[in-house]
Amino acid sequence: MPTASNPGRERRRVVVEQGGPVLVEGPVEVELPDGSTVTCDRFMVALCACRRSKRYPFCDTSHRRKTRSPAKDRKPGQDEG
């Protein structure tokens, strides 16, 4: 859908997932801080928001990995105090 300010350009839908990636309707071209660009032709592209991805700037679901909580380190029946 062309916009009034940019008649030839379509708007892209962007969805920010709580605790997850930023979803962008593709195809996309992403410009990185160093000036390089990467492209993806998928219909929906997941961009990493946690910076843990080995495929950065694309999400590899690294945000799903959880660290062990202290409660899991305790043995059954062991007091918290």
Side-chain angles (χ1 to χ4, degrees), residues 1-74:
M1 82 185 91
T3 63
S5 60
N6 292 314
R9 299 187 71 176
E10 291 187 15
R11 289 183 188 220
R12 295 284 180 208
R13 181 174 174 87
V14 177
V15 179
V16 179
E17 292 285 328
Q18 177 93 21
V22 175
L23 303 175
V24 182
E25 287 185 1
V28 298
E29 179 178 278
V30 180
E31 184 175 333
L32 301 174
D34 67 1
S36 64
T37 59
V38 291
T39 60
C40 185
D41 294 325
R42 291 183 173 201
F43 70 94
M44 185 64 76
V45 180
L47 297 176
C48 177
C50 71
R51 294 190 157 260
R52 294 180 197 153
S53 176
K54 292 181 179 162
R55 297 182 57 231
Y56 188 83
F58 302 110
C59 178
D60 68 359
T61 69
S62 292
H63 61 275
R64 293 183 186 168
R65 292 188 204 117
K66 296 181 180 178
T67 59
R68 285 182 72 114
S69 68
K72 290 183 180 179
D73 292 339
R74 289 192 305 267

